[in-house]
Amino acid sequence: MSTTAKHKVIFDTDPGVDDAMALYFALAHPDIDVVGITTSFGNVHVEQATANALYLTRITGRDIPVAQGVPVPFAKEPGTPPDFIHGADGLGNLNSRIEVGGEAQVESAAEFIVKMARQYPGEITLVAVAPLGNLGLALKMEPQLPKLLKQVVLMAGTVDEPGNVSPVAEANVWNDPDAADLVFTAGWDLTMVGLDVTHRVVLPSTFFAALAEKHKHVAMDTLSHAVNFYANFYQSIRPDLGHACYGHDVLAFVWLVAPEIFETNSGRVRVAKEGIGNGQTMMAKLPIPYPQSGWEASKPETRVCMKVDAEACKQLIDKTLSSSWLQAPLAPVAK
Ligand code: BDR
Ligand code: CA
């Protein structure tokens, strides 16, 4: 049994295959207590993200509050969900779903975040692995949010590694650059887990097939099916990886429980909001004054993950998901 105090987490997500991996890592890890899930548009429309969050949790036997969030970006023209990456349903086009019921909270994602942060001041870690509109809105509702939350961990952005939606932009930031820039300048204890590290951790589809075989549970079958679809996409663009995928979102939780396997740099991070470079996360690597406004020393710094021990990361994911954490799926509630 672990002796570490549990991280009380709100998980902001757009499930999404790697979001599902991340959720299952969080539910399985003894040091993480997921106290709520908030959803965003991104990999799928927000209604589908909410349905997936409810489904993914309830098939593991958990009844965790899910609050639906933003359907579109703050200012940018909404795009089309990438069904060729995550499937039209976000989970690799599942053949069927079992009946588990579940309904979203009446409050919005931003309202839920603000309510929980006020109720548990200094205790909540917000792990966000989707476009950042929910956090941006919550900040507008409660300007003290950076003091009320314990910390914020993002799967977002990239510094040195090429982008995945343009040569310089990572998808979560690119999907809502205005919200992302608000988040990077808000002044919380902020960690960015971006492509600089997520592209170092390649997870073969056989890794998840073996977990499904071990558990023989609908939740791991669902994840393995979704990963197969996701790996088909990666194989089409990166045949050198084999039938495999990046774990992106799960690395945000790996950082939370095992920061010692990462190397980080700190610096001011800003987001390009317009033009061909929109969605680029730019990091000030030198502590020098610049004539360009927006880089004043008063701007808060972000802790940015630059390197990861990929083997240790894979082992931790395997050990965590192999443990006995799955329960019988919940039944729908009779009305
Ligand atoms: C991020 O974008 C989404 O497609 C993934 O779920 C992940 O959060 C990777 O760039
Ligand atoms: Ca995601």
Side-chain angles (χ1 to χ4, degrees), residues 111-123:
E111 288 166 345
F112 180 80
I113 292 168
V114 169
K115 178 189 83 177
M116 294 293 279
R118 287 179 180 151
Q119 195 172 333
Y120 301 101
E123 285 186 46

Side-chain angles (χ1 to χ4, degrees), residues 25-106:
F25 179 92
L27 296 180
H29 200 283
D31 298 338
I32 300 174
D33 180 15
V34 181
V35 296
I37 300 175
T38 52
T39 61
S40 166
F41 80 94
N43 294 325
V44 285
H45 292 296
V46 70
E47 295 80 8
Q48 184 70 51
T50 303
N52 289 350
L54 286 164
Y55 185 70
L56 288 165
T57 49
R58 294 179 71 85
I59 58 175
T60 73
R62 265 73 163 193
D63 183 17
I64 295 174
V66 175
Q68 183 158 298
V70 291
V72 291
F74 275 13
K76 188 177 182 170
E77 199 57 35
T80 312
D83 58 0
F84 53 98
I85 304 178
H86 296 268
D89 68 347
L91 298 175
N93 297 331
L94 292 173
N95 299 319
S96 60
R97 296 189 181 212
I98 62 168
E99 284 291 320
V100 285
E103 279 184 15
Q105 304 293 296
V106 285

Side-chain angles (χ1 to χ4, degrees), residues 148-170:
L148 292 172
L149 289 177
K150 181 176 179 194
Q151 62 175 326
V152 174
V153 183
L154 309 176
M155 189 285 130
T158 185
V159 174
D160 291 338
E161 178 73 3
N164 58 0
V165 281
S166 86
V168 295
E170 180 280 325

Side-chain angles (χ1 to χ4, degrees), residues 202-221:
V202 177
L203 300 168
S205 54
T206 50
F207 181 97
F208 294 94
L211 286 163
E213 184 56 32
K214 176 183 190 306
H215 282 295
K216 298 197 184 342
H217 188 286
V218 59
M220 291 311 294
D221 291 344

Side-chain angles (χ1 to χ4, degrees), residues 13-15 18-19 43 129-130 172 249:
T13 177
D14 58 340
D18 56 321
D19 302 74
N43 294 325
V129 301
N172 287 335
D249 294 346

